């Protein structure tokens, strides 16, 4: 079988995924005339979840395209905002993104989260079964074929992570409607209904409460409310 060579240029937004020598400009790459272009791009380190278009000699092609000798390939990043057709927009986060999960829930975004490491096969299977966009910093996990949809989380900073997800997917924001612990919906509750969860000072100082319809956790405007309010206000100011 004769080897072929193509030339590949990766979008600047995707440069962190490829070897340093390939991060700018166009570079040659040997291909076997059998593997799909999607497989070739993933072999460079770029998860297909991050690829918006594959352009070969000026025309857009699917990931199943078999690259031929002499072709020039431009790997483009996903367009923002990114549409996710086929189901209501909702997310699944892996074990390393607990803070991001709580902040998305704070904003009313349907966000499932595994607080223990259930393994890549189980996570990708849940993504497919529940039609959830899997968010992760694990590139290998995002390459699993059974995923329904996925996205790489580029930063380690919770503030930057939240901004990136909201900018990329623009989910509908409905703050203060979900439980940050379990993702269940909240309802208004009386002090009597949540009395067993209140300490003396809280019982005397607060009169407005909410309770999760799933796990029963009670919520009120406690000591950390100002910090949470600031997160909500920033998100609404930019993405509402």
């Amino acid at each position: 079988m004769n080897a072929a060579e193509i030339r590949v240029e990766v979008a600047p937004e995707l440069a962190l995924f490829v070897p340093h020598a390939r991060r700018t400009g166009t570079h040659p790459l040997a291909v076997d005339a059998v593997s799909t272009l999607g497989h070739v791009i993933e072999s460079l380190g770029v998860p297909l979840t991050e690829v918006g278009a594959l352009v070969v000699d000026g025309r857009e092609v699917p990931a199943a395209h078999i690259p031929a000798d002499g072709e020039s390939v431009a790997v483009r990043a996903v367009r923002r905002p990114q549409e996710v057709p086929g189901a209501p927009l909702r997310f699944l986060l892996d074990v390393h993104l607990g803070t991001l999960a709580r902040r998305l829930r704070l904003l009313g975004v349907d966000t499932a989260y595994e607080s223990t490491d259930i393994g890549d096969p189980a996570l990708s299977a849940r993504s497919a079964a529940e039609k959830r966009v899997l968010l992760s910093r694990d590139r290998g996990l995002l390459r699993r074929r059974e995923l329904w949809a996925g996205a790489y989380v580029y930063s380690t900073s919770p503030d930057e992570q939240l901004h990136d997800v909201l900018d990329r997917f623009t989910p509908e924001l409905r703050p203060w409607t979900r439980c940050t612990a379990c993702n269940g919906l909240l309802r208004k509750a009386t002090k009597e209904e949540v009395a067993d969860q209140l300490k003396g000072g809280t019982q005397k100082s607060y009169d407005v409460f909410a309770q999760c319809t799933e796990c029963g956790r009670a919520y009120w405007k406690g000591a950390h409310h100002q910090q949470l309010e600031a997160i909500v206000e920033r998100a609404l100011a930019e993405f509402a």
Side-chain angles (χ1 to χ4, degrees):
M1 183 179 299
N2 294 327
E5 184 178 272
I6 61 175
R7 297 188 63 81
V8 180
E9 180 181 15
V10 175
E13 299 93 327
L14 305 177
L16 79 161
F17 295 112
V18 300
H20 192 272
R22 292 184 175 275
R23 292 186 176 180
T24 58
T26 303
H27 300 273
L29 180 67
V31 293
D32 59 13
V34 174
S35 300
T36 66
L37 184 54
H39 178 80
V40 170
I41 298 308
E42 283 193 323
S43 71
L44 288 177
V46 183
L48 290 184
T49 59
E50 306 312 295
V51 176
L54 295 169
V55 180
V56 174
D57 293 338
R59 73 185 192 283
E60 189 170 335
V61 301
H65 172 78
I66 305 297
D69 186 44
E71 289 184 338
S72 293
V73 179
V75 184
R76 296 177 178 170
V78 292
R79 295 178 180 175
R80 297 188 177 216
Q82 181 180 352
E83 295 185 7
V84 183
L89 179 61
R90 49 190 182 177
F91 298 100
L92 170 63
L93 278 62
D94 71 15
V95 67
H96 303 292
L97 298 175
T99 300
L100 176 59
R102 289 188 292 273
R103 291 189 178 190
L104 286 169
R105 290 170 176 175
L106 175 67
L107 296 172
V109 179
D110 188 341
T111 306
Y113 165 68
E114 295 291 348
S115 59
T116 57
D117 189 356
I118 64 173
D120 292 0
L123 275 173
S124 53
R126 183 175 181 184
S127 166
E130 300 180 12
K131 290 185 168 56
R132 291 181 179 273
V133 179
L134 178 63
L135 303 181
S136 178
R137 286 182 49 79
D138 184 338
R139 303 177 195 184
L141 174 56
L142 294 175
R143 291 179 61 177
R144 296 191 68 89
R145 293 292 179 249
E146 61 269 39
L147 271 184
W148 180 72
Y152 184 75
V153 176
Y154 286 80
S155 176
T156 57
S157 160
D159 287 342
E160 293 176 359
Q161 289 175 347
L162 182 62
H163 184 279
D164 185 45
V165 172
L166 297 182
D167 178 68
R168 178 167 174 172
F169 293 101
T170 61
E172 180 183 3
L173 304 184
R174 300 178 61 213
W176 317 109
T177 61
R178 286 191 179 272
C179 176
T180 56
C182 80
N183 196 44
L185 294 175
L186 301 182
R187 65 169 183 85
K188 292 182 180 179
T190 65
K191 184 181 293 188
E192 290 71 27
E193 288 176 309
V194 298
D196 61 331
Q197 299 184 51
L198 307 180
K199 296 181 180 179
T202 301
Q203 198 161 25
K204 294 177 181 179
S205 303
Y206 300 97
D207 295 304
V208 179
F209 298 90
Q211 188 174 31
C212 177
T213 58
E214 296 292 332
C215 72
R217 179 172 177 170
Y219 288 86
W220 60 91
K221 295 182 179 180
H224 300 293
H225 184 75
Q226 285 187 334
Q227 294 176 329
L228 301 178
E229 186 72 48
I231 293 171
V232 170
E233 289 180 355
R234 285 197 302 269
L236 290 178
E238 189 165 0
F239 298 106

